[in-house]
Amino acid sequence: MAFPVKTGGLTADAVTMLLALGMVLKDDVMRSKGLRVTLTIMFFSLTAAAFSQTWYLDASKGKDSNPGTSSAPWKTVAKAQSVVEPGDKIILSNGSYDSLTPPNVIYADDPYVSLDDTDIDWIVWEAKPGHKPVFDSLYFEKSGNKYFLGYRLKGLKLTEITAKNMVALNVENCEIVGWGNDIATAHGGLQISESSNITVKNSEIHFIKENGVSISGSAYVTIENCDIYDIGSDHFTLRTEYRDCENIRIVGNIIRDTMQWNLSAHPDGIQFYASSGNDFKNCLIAGNKIYNMAVQGIFTSGIDGRFLDGVIENNLIYNCGNSSLNMANTNNLIFRNNTVFGYSAFSSSSTNLSVYNNIFYGSYILRDPHGPKYNDYNIYSQDYTDWLDGTEPHSYMYPKSQLSAMLSQLFTNAAANDYSLRYNCLAVDFCPLTPAGASNDMLGKTRSRYPDAGCYEYNGSIPSGNDGELPAEDNQDSIDAKTQRQIDKINQLINRMENRYQTIVDKLNSKIDSIAGSSMPDDRKTKLIERMESRIQRFENSYNAKIEKLEDKLSDVTP
């Protein structure tokens, strides 16, 4: 076994009693080889278990000559590290403490395989209730060989955590904050390099000059339910210089508020950069709120590496200075059930895209590998109608001219950044069962039979701030009321499409009239008019096909 064996928590008295029982059975043991082996294993496990203890540290009142009990704690980390064993817990009172160092246990197995948390005998460093002990910087760093770590940190305050060439680190309810009061010198943050099985949950990472979280060449890393704010550079930056990054999970975080101390900096919310021939594999970005970024919300790029088989779902992205999304060098990316405000681009360098069940507010671009085409809806696409569907159906988008209407029609209170869906808005039940969306929304609500577009699922109750009351029959959740809502929505969508169709055709016919009355050569006029008429025909065919689908759906839901 390459790492400490998980053992029970028997007391020394219990072990003494069982050892005495072993002496009574000594003769039987000698007569039975099988029993002797069994008891040997049992005694080994019980003896190891006897040393799982809880120790106490107090930087202000403790003494290293004390026994390390709650009434007589130790003073220094060095003393604790000289005594503690895997499975032990160290309770720390308020005060400033020296750095921790990893145990000298070589991890001989494959370090990039997922480990079961219950198989690790963690050494736990935990704040006493009501206390917040302070460390400077914790460097869990080894070079050359992988080392098993097995440290769990709870309730501590730190400026920096560095995990390099490490296996198994768990950080919970901690605060990582940069030095001093000036963001230009506030070094710190979380750095994870060539490591695996790292989990950071329910923690704050803030006031840091450089990147808030840096992950490079690592696997099975989870950053979950953290608040990451007031960062001078990227809130998350992920790199593949050394090896692939695999199974990275960025889930349920609040990623907000750039402090751009250096105007030449390029702060993003989450940035993936694949290089050195290495890739990002099977990464998940889900349920995050990303806002008030100086440059970009989510950015994927690379030179000779790619973002492969990733899922980005249930995220809310808004108020990003340059663009909310800039997705390049991806393959087999699923981008679903996100609510995105601002410029969003999926580059032609991305292949096998699946973009569906989203709400896009503003410019939405799918770059044509043959060259982008600009249309009246401020969207680059291969066809006038692609802006409605994205790469697959049921992403909900408005043209630029109707953005203000979208805010009031879809969202509970956009002015207060509440982007939950309003009762009976068109994004509710907007998406079919196929392609399947995320099973739950960003708040964990189960999606209904017909999933809603965007990161929030409307669950039948009136969101806070919504005007009006539900009809009496809807309060009873009757089938007829639900059916009528579906019928109303489909009819509204058909009417909107008809209005848009007529608007576009009128514009194209107006251009034909303008060309016909111009002074350009006749052969040039003929070619341009033929091209415009062909465009109208293609648009009409596409429009008729969509109307037919909506009418079929209307027929299906109408009693």
Side-chain angles (χ1 to χ4, degrees), residues 397-417:
M397 290 164 276
Y398 265 60
K400 190 174 182 179
S401 61
Q402 298 184 27
L403 293 181
S404 59
M406 178 181 180
L407 288 177
S408 62
Q409 290 175 11
L410 292 187
F411 304 118
T412 299
N413 189 352
N417 298 317

Side-chain angles (χ1 to χ4, degrees), residues 434-478:
T434 304
S439 58
N440 297 320
D441 76 349
M442 76 178 307
L443 300 178
K445 296 177 184 175
T446 302
R447 295 193 182 274
S448 65
R449 181 170 174 234
Y450 290 96
D452 302 343
C455 63
Y456 293 109
E457 181 77 5
Y458 178 72
N459 66 351
S461 60
I462 302 177
S464 59
N466 207 43
D467 296 330
E469 296 291 335
L470 289 173
E473 66 270 19
D474 202 60
N475 282 321
Q476 300 170 10
D477 204 27
S478 69

Side-chain angles (χ1 to χ4, degrees), residues 189-190 205-208 210-215 223 227-238 250 254-260 266-271 289-297:
L190 173 65
I205 302 172
H206 66 107
F207 196 71
I208 294 168
E210 294 95 0
N211 302 314
V213 179
S214 299
I215 302 172
I223 313 295
D227 191 1
I228 303 164
Y229 61 97
D230 291 348
I231 305 296
S233 189
D234 296 329
H235 287 56
F236 281 84
T237 184
L238 299 96
I250 301 174
I254 299 175
I255 303 167
R256 60 186 174 96
D257 300 329
T258 297
M259 294 187 73
Q260 194 172 9
H266 193 272
D268 296 329
I270 304 175
Q271 182 189 100
K289 289 185 179 180
I290 304 173
Y291 59 93
N292 296 348
M293 295 294 106
V295 183
Q296 299 174 118

Side-chain angles (χ1 to χ4, degrees), residues 65-87:
S65 58
N66 286 340
T69 61
S70 59
S71 58
W74 294 321
K75 182 179 181 64
T76 67
V77 168
K79 172 63 178 179
Q81 288 193 304
S82 70
V83 176
V84 298
E85 298 287 342

Side-chain angles (χ1 to χ4, degrees), residues 373-387:
K373 301 173 184 178
Y374 184 75
N375 66 34
D376 293 335
Y377 290 96
N378 198 23
I379 294 150
Y380 290 95
S381 63
Q382 296 179 5
D383 185 88
Y384 268 93
T385 58
D386 282 351
W387 71 271

Side-chain angles (χ1 to χ4, degrees), residues 23-308:
M23 294 300 293
V24 173
L25 297 175
K26 180 179 178 181
D27 291 340
D28 290 336
V29 171
M30 296 302 294
R31 287 192 294 270
S32 172
K33 182 178 179 181
L35 182 57
R36 181 171 66 251
V37 172
T38 302
L39 286 175
T40 299
I41 295 172
M42 180 179 73
F43 289 152
F44 173 81
S45 297
L46 294 175
T47 303
F51 295 100
S52 295
Q53 298 189 45
T54 298
W55 308 98
Y56 292 83
L57 232 61
D58 190 322
S60 301
K61 302 176 182 178
K63 295 181 180 179
D64 285 350
S65 58
N66 286 340
T69 61
S70 59
S71 58
W74 294 321
K75 182 179 181 64
T76 67
V77 168
K79 172 63 178 179
Q81 288 193 304
S82 70
V83 176
V84 298
E85 298 287 342
D88 286 359
K89 179 185 291 187
I90 303 93
I91 305 295
L92 299 97
S93 297
N94 283 333
S96 297
Y97 293 87
D98 299 330
S99 293
L100 296 175
T101 56
N104 292 319
V105 180
I106 296 176
Y107 187 84
D109 295 338
D110 184 352
Y112 295 109
V113 173
S114 176
L115 299 177
D116 187 349
D117 183 83
T118 60
D119 287 338
I120 301 172
D121 240 355
W122 296 96
I123 297 175
V124 180
W125 295 77
E126 181 175 344
K128 185 177 181 179
H131 289 237
K132 182 169 269 188
V134 177
F135 287 81
D136 188 354
S137 299
L138 304 188
Y139 291 93
F140 302 118
E141 182 172 345
K142 293 290 182 181
S143 61
N145 294 318
K146 290 286 179 182
Y147 284 70
F148 176 79
L149 180 56
Y151 269 19
R152 177 167 280 157
L153 313 177
K154 292 185 176 182
L156 310 183
K157 183 176 181 179
L158 321 103
T159 56
E160 183 175 0
I161 298 178
T162 296
K164 181 178 180 181
N165 294 103
M166 305 311 296
V167 180
L169 171 66
N170 188 299
V171 179
E172 299 179 38
N173 299 308
C174 289
E175 180 184 7
I176 303 173
V177 56
W179 288 298
N181 299 313
D182 185 354
I183 187 64
T185 58
H187 301 283
L190 173 65
Q191 287 88 40
I192 301 168
S193 176
E194 298 177 88
S195 298
S196 69
N197 294 278
I198 311 295
T199 300
V200 181
K201 289 185 177 182
N202 305 318
S203 297
E204 282 186 70
I205 302 172
H206 66 107
F207 196 71
I208 294 168
K209 171 186 176 181
E210 294 95 0
N211 302 314
V213 179
S214 299
I215 302 172
S216 178
S218 297
Y220 298 101
V221 176
T222 295
I223 313 295
E224 185 173 358
N225 294 332
C226 294
D227 191 1
I228 303 164
Y229 61 97
D230 291 348
I231 305 296
S233 189
D234 296 329
H235 287 56
F236 281 84
T237 184
L238 299 96
R239 298 288 186 269
T240 60
E241 291 95 340
Y242 308 112
R243 65 175 304 280
D244 294 341
C245 272
E246 304 176 54
N247 296 286
I248 309 298
R249 300 175 70 256
I250 301 174
V251 179
N253 303 286
I254 299 175
I255 303 167
R256 60 186 174 96
D257 300 329
T258 297
M259 294 187 73
Q260 194 172 9
W261 64 276
N262 182 353
L263 294 180
S264 65
H266 193 272
D268 296 329
I270 304 175
Q271 182 189 100
F272 290 85
Y273 187 79
S275 63
S276 305
N278 299 316
D279 301 313
F280 294 100
K281 298 179 178 178
N282 301 309
C283 296
L284 172 67
I285 306 173
N288 303 286
K289 289 185 179 180
I290 304 173
Y291 59 93
N292 296 348
M293 295 294 106
V295 183
Q296 299 174 118
I298 300 177
F299 175 47
T300 63
S301 186
I303 298 177
D304 52 1
R306 306 198 76 181
F307 186 91
L308 306 177

